[in-house]
Structures are given as C-alpha cells and as structure tokens.
Amino acid sequence: MTSALTIIDCTLPLVDGGRDRFAVRIEGERIAGVTPMSETAASSGETFDARGRSVLPAFTDAHVHLVESGIELARCDLSSSTSRADALRLIAEYCDRAADPWIVGRGWSLDHFADTRTMLAELDSVTGERPAYLSNKDGHSAWVNSAALRLAGISTGTPDPEGGRIERDAAGAPIGLLHEGAMLLVAELIPALDDETRFQGLLAGQRHFFSLGITGWQEAIVGDFVPTTDVERCYRRAIDSGRLLGQVTGNLWLPRSDPAGAVEQLVERRAAFAGEERFRTSGVKIMYDGVCETLTGAVSIPYLDGAEGTATPNCGITFFDPAELAPVVAELDRAGFDLHAHVIGDRATDEMLTMIEGALAGAPARDRRHQLAHLQVLNPELIARMARAGVIANVQPYWAQGDAQMMEMTLPFLDPSLHTHQYAFRSLERAGVPLAFGSDWPVTTPDPFAWIHVAVNRSYPGDSTEPFLAHEALSRRSALLAATSGSAHAVRQDDSRGRIEPGMLADLVVLDADLTEVPDEDLHGVRVDATFARGVSVFER
C-alpha cells in the first residue's frame, strides 16, 4: 500500500459528464482532491495514468448472495448453459470429474424446460444413483433425480407442502421438479457445508466482484436458509483475519415460522457486529412471495393457467400471513432495522407496503432505508405510495428484457392488464422513488455493465424481441447513479462510498474506455481495467 496515489488523465462521467480530464488524488484510504488536469501540478507518490479512460465510483451490488455464488463457482455450475442439452452435458461432465456423494449445483433456465415430462429420466441418465439437487437460476425451483426423491420419501402420495408445489405427471407421480417450499424436502437432506467451504466461497466471490469493479455489496440473506445456510461465521472470520476487503451490509433472515419470536434474537445478532466498519447487519430480509415464472409471485389478478375460472384461482403465494407479519414489521421498525422485502407481484407489493405504512404511522421520524426488492409487477398507485413512504426500489435491471423467460414463461400467464407495468424503472424515478441496483447473483450476472445496458436499452444483445417496455428505460446517467451512489445509499454506505469527492473512501474503478465514446448499444461490452478499494489496488487487468 502506498500512502499517496494519483490517478491522472481520467474522465469522470458522474462529475462533469466526462467533458474534461481530471486527476484524482488519494491519500491513505480516502480521496484527497479532484482537480482538472490543466490545474494539476506534479505530485509526490505513485501515479496511475488512466490515459483518457473513465473513472467511476466503485459499484455497489444492493442485492446479492455472494457467499453462495462463490461456492457455486466450484459446484455444478449451469449458469452458462444455453439449452436443455447443454445443461445435461455440463451435468455429465461434472459427474465425471467430481466424486462428491451429492451432485449439487445451480443455474439452469426454466425456459429451456418448457416440456417437463422427461426431466426426471434425463437427469437420472447422467447422474446415476448419486442424489442430485440442481436449483434453477432464480433459486425458486429445483431439478432433482430419482435417488433424491427416494431419500426424501417423495412419491405419488406425498402432498404438496405449505408454500410449495411438487410437479407431477398425469398419474400424480413426481417428475423431478420442485418449486418453492417443496425444494426444502430435498435441500434439507444435502450434507451441510462446512465453515471452510463457506469461507472460500466468500473469498472467491469477493475476487470476482473486484474484477467487475464492485467493492461494496448487500448480502441479501444472513441466516439459516438453504442452500448456503448461515454465512455469519465466515464473514466474522474474514473480518478477524483481515481478508474482507470490501464493504458489506448484511440482511438478517426473518424465519417463516414464528417470526415474532425471532425479533429478540435478530437484535442480539445485530449487536454482535456493532462497531465493525466493514460488515454491518442493519437490515432484515423478508421473503414474501415467489416468482411469476412458476406462477407463485403474488398477483392481484389470477394467472391464466386454467384455474382462473375455478373456485380456487391461482393468484400466487405468500410465505407469511399479513395479520401475523404486520406487528413484526412494526416491531422491527421500532428496533431500528431496515426492512428488505422480496416482492415480485403487485399483490405482494401492496401487502408489504400496507405493513410498512402501518409501521410508520405515528412512529418517530428517523433515517429509514426500507427497501422493496425486485418489484416486477407494479402500478401507478403502488409507485405513488412507495414515494410517499420513502421506500427504496431495490431492482435487478438485468431482468427487464424480453428474453424467453419473460416472453414464454411469464407474459402468456399474466393477465394482459399486468403486462405494461413490469420493471417500471422510469416511472419509479419520475415519482421520486430512490433507485438502487443489484444483481441477485447467482440468479443473474453480477456484471454492472450488463445491468446498466438493460436499464438503458431494455434489451440485451441476442434478444430476438423489441426493447421490453421501452418507455421505462433510464438515461445512462440515472443507471450509473443507481449502480453507484443509489445502491450505496440503500445499504447505508453513502457516508463513505459512491461518489468521487474529497473525504470519501477511495473506492474507484478505471474502465477500459472513455464512456463518452461508447454508444448505448455497446454498454454491455465495457470492462473494468482496475479496481481500487480504500486506495489499494485489488484488481488490475
């Protein structure tokens, strides 16, 4: 580490739009000065010549499962699979090289498996007698083989568990596909991860983040929730050993059973990290509903799945009874926690907002950072209520594209009146709702320029469709702010990160180009050449 470093000849898109060339002076861990090159005198210490490339505040991922993602890099990683056959090939290759008693992995895409009838036989053919558990890329469904079904005792007579569904054939026999709560029937049988595996997953995830220019993040779940289980100890080890180099905010997991009884323990767990500079547990994660692709996101109008005209139309599921959860939300707010709720459907957003509004009614004013995450299906009234309540929109912009998951697995099953208010980023911004960007890695790519590309273009290279709801596109500047200062604000790191100005931590990213010369349609191709965390080089290409 050097005591002084100056990044010279760089453009600063979020300072002056990239019109001028600047020098950014770093002393110790912090930015000491930002001056135009025309006014910059020769300085002592080390220099890094950006040669006209753009420098940004380092990115913050406002919603990620980093430890889990780092672990998945060494497991049966299907995130690169491009088809059903490709996924099966990757599984077969993993089985050949790995001797683990269980085959565990993640990353296959539901749209590659529209025909589910042969999923069980196909997986059996490549995995044999070793039990297999492979969650899809959004983590809300699992593909399991016959060995796993036998171990779990899942058969034709097994009822669907509360909050979950076992996919079956016409005779009622399981076909190897489990959704939501049904996943736990097998997941809870997987041998527990040891502390060393979790710790190495954290380090691997951190290294990958640095290569993408991300130095701060919000660990979306810190608690006993499969498949990773509690990551608290590995973060403590990283802090104590000096290996945690990023800035992390953790969300403590609110259990679905007896949430009221968990509040006291959550307060105690938060206190265990009080005073820690690099890791804070200031939030509580509430997983409220499912996802639209499996028809489990909680929507206001029944899904078009054939049950809409029956006595029990499908409007998705919620994992809590609002009457039971509302007083817990109020108690968590009184305890000073930031709420971080997973809401996909408009009904889920309505119900969570109602609970937050109730908690705020008559409560003393304070600096709250309550967040609703994902927000796939919205409407103008919900957006206006979010603005009035000061709730942050923690969104995953990479999802706002017309890919197969949207066009084939979502739109045909959503009532048409719900189609036009999906991932309504521009409407949220216009209403004054603060925006924060996250990846939800390993659900989708952690590359910030992939998120920014979709936020600006509402499509991604390779899409065969028109831009998805193009009127909800953000400007480039708005997208960059949401991925930097907006995300830092959401995770309570804005006092030290997310802006390039004197006194802020020197968390900076040098890109491989001058952004003013990169057209919107090429944003996905921008790469990071160097990343600095607290003035220290943690990545250089």
Side-chain angles (χ1 to χ4, degrees), residues 426-500:
R426 182 70 182 96
S427 294
L428 286 161
E429 180 185 50
R430 195 162 42 235
V433 177
L435 291 176
F437 278 2
S439 66
D440 208 5
W441 189 40
V443 175
T444 44
T445 174
D447 180 0
F449 275 99
W451 327 333
I452 291 164
H453 182 102
V454 177
V456 172
N457 294 279
R458 300 290 290 199
S459 64
Y460 200 74
D463 282 356
S464 59
T465 60
E466 294 296 314
F468 181 66
L469 303 179
H471 63 280
E472 293 292 358
L474 292 174
S475 70
R476 180 186 301 204
R477 179 175 176 80
S478 292
L480 288 169
L481 288 171
T484 53
S485 58
S487 292
H489 170 79
V491 305
R492 291 191 180 271
Q493 297 176 14
D494 54 322
D495 58 340
S496 59
R497 301 181 59 260
R499 302 186 305 280
I500 299 178

Side-chain angles (χ1 to χ4, degrees), residues 382-459:
L382 292 173
I383 292 171
R385 287 170 60 194
M386 287 181 65
R388 288 194 296 270
V391 173
I392 297 166
N394 187 317
V395 296
Q396 287 57 59
Y398 190 77
W399 302 352
Q401 55 177 297
D403 57 6
Q405 192 151 297
M406 175 61 71
M407 307 306 291
E408 298 173 13
M409 305 197 69
T410 300
L411 294 185
F413 300 98
L414 277 182
D415 187 271
S417 67
L418 302 179
H419 287 192
T420 56
H421 288 96
Q422 295 191 74
Y423 303 120
F425 306 149
R426 182 70 182 96
S427 294
L428 286 161
E429 180 185 50
R430 195 162 42 235
V433 177
L435 291 176
F437 278 2
S439 66
D440 208 5
W441 189 40
V443 175
T444 44
T445 174
D447 180 0
F449 275 99
W451 327 333
I452 291 164
H453 182 102
V454 177
V456 172
N457 294 279
R458 300 290 290 199
S459 64

